[in-house]
Amino acid sequence: MTKRLGELLCEGNHITTAQLEAALETQKTSGHKLGQILCDNKAISNRRLLEALVKQAGLDTVTLEDRTIDRDVLAMVPAEVVSQHSLIPVERQNGRLIVAMADPFDHEAIADLRLLTGLVIRRCYCPTSDLEKAILKYYGSNVARMLRDLAPGEKAETSDVEVLEGDQLTTAKLHELAREPSLVNLVNLILLEAVESRASDVHIEPFEKDVRIKYRIDGVLIEKSSSPKRLHAAIVSRVKIMANMNIAERFVPQDGHIEFLGTKGKIDIRVSTVPTIFGETIVMRLLDRSAALIALGDLGMDEQTLKGYAHCLGKSHGIVLVTGPTGSGKTTTLYASLNRIYDPSRKIITIEDPVEYQLDGIVQIPVNPRRGLTFGRGLRHILRQDPDIIMVGEIRDKETADIAVRAALTGHLV
């Protein structure tokens, strides 16, 4: 006999009897499903509810990590359907298609699969994280798939995007290319995929025959996708439009800024373009505003390191140096440190190039070399502002290092 949902959750110690009784009382008046009420009350997570429903329905849970899926089976379900419904075909057996799904109760997805394949669908449950890895392994990333769709072959006429070279790339033509719906979606998808991968930088590098798209993740540069060379001008133009840069100037370096809306909020993106022998290369630094709210204890330091570092931050004066390669988390560590030691009774001033995250209650100064505001000059003036704590974004020269050390020796925490 099938057990009730509340009984399964209580047996698994996921909810208490009191929580179940309260939810049942609410159900009498609201008429809502028990699982929905428990999730609304924060008694259980959506994932825990789904796992309990899978158990109640007697569905199998599959592991895809060590499993090999036949190409003919994969070809039965297009990548668009796989991404839309978070599922992957696993095996074909006697007129049935076994499908691993993040939500095996998605009846619309099951109906689509039945219509698409003409087979009876046998649904299985697979945790979202495992399923995403399998989709990436067998179908590739969303960016790679879109690039294949935009340029299925090397002949220009097969692409949705017309790409010209040399003198034909007028300003009007560049604007036209960059506003192609397919290119707009592609660039947005590159940025979304980078954010979801927790990348600190996106590199778009042109070479003789192709354009390579790379993400820097945990300090390591990883090549994710490559694009036909003929899409390069359109991609660069789209990024420049988003960053309010001069789309017609292709032979001098430019800097710009994009405010991009990701799945978890706004992302500030610093854009830099540099001309190369094969065209302009772009690097985009992703600055996730929510990362500034990371607690010091969530950075991944071991207990002994965290204890020693926190002890240094608690000093009334001295200097704390944070060093490491590009994308290793120096800025994130500094901001987490400022969040840890912030106190309204102490004046905290930062000097940065640029100000990457805005912190409430902290005075932040952006470096502006064009107007003569360098780290050294800014630091000298900061000392006249009666600070208790100073954060220097970078120590680039002897002057800045000398002033920072003297400030640390005269009663300031640097």
Side-chain angles (χ1 to χ4, degrees), residues 301-323:
M301 297 184 192
D302 60 63
E303 189 176 345
Q304 186 177 356
T305 303
L306 179 61
K307 186 176 179 181
Y309 185 65
H311 177 72
C312 292
L313 293 177
K315 296 284 189 179
S316 61
H317 62 278
I319 189 165
V320 178
L321 291 175
V322 179
T323 65

Side-chain angles (χ1 to χ4, degrees), residues 95-246:
R96 294 186 176 213
L97 183 64
I98 301 172
V99 180
M101 307 176 69
D103 180 6
F105 303 100
D106 184 347
H107 299 294
E108 182 184 344
I110 295 167
D112 287 349
L113 286 173
R114 194 180 295 123
L115 186 65
L116 188 67
T117 63
L119 301 173
V120 175
I121 305 302
R122 181 185 160 197
R123 54 199 171 129
C124 299
Y125 171 67
C126 181
T128 303
S129 57
D130 293 345
L131 192 61
E132 286 176 351
K133 289 177 184 176
I135 291 173
L136 187 62
K137 176 181 176 182
Y138 290 107
Y139 286 90
S141 70
N142 290 328
V143 170
R145 289 201 299 273
M146 181 170 277
L147 284 169
R148 285 199 298 269
D149 291 341
L150 282 173
E154 286 305 310
K155 293 182 180 179
E157 61 267 25
T158 61
S159 174
D160 293 333
V161 183
E162 179 190 4
V163 178
L164 306 175
E165 295 182 354
D167 296 335
Q168 292 176 291
L169 287 170
T170 63
T171 302
K173 174 55 71 174
L174 288 170
H175 275 282
E176 182 185 331
L177 290 175
R179 289 198 171 96
E180 285 280 349
S182 48
L183 255 302
V184 171
N185 293 338
L186 174 62
V187 174
N188 287 343
L189 196 56
I190 289 171
L191 294 175
L192 279 172
E193 192 170 271
V195 171
E196 289 171 1
S197 302
R198 298 180 62 212
S200 61
D201 302 84
V202 176
H203 294 238
I204 300 175
E205 302 174 344
F207 292 94
E208 185 178 4
K209 296 181 179 179
D210 62 1
V211 180
R212 295 171 194 172
I213 299 169
K214 303 176 182 179
Y215 300 157
R216 188 176 294 281
I217 302 171
D218 294 330
V220 179
L221 201 57
I222 301 169
E223 185 172 334
K224 284 288 187 176
S225 312
S226 62
S227 159
K229 181 64 185 288
R230 53 198 175 76
L231 294 182
H232 174 246
I235 293 172
V236 171
S237 298
R238 177 58 194 164
V239 173
K240 282 185 170 183
I241 287 175
M242 294 173 72
N244 292 316
M245 298 161 75
N246 185 351

Side-chain angles (χ1 to χ4, degrees), residues 316-319 383 386-388 390 406-414:
S316 61
H317 62 278
I319 189 165
L383 293 174
D386 188 30
D388 296 293
I390 304 168
R406 283 195 284 113
L409 292 171
T410 53
H412 304 91
L413 179 63
V414 181

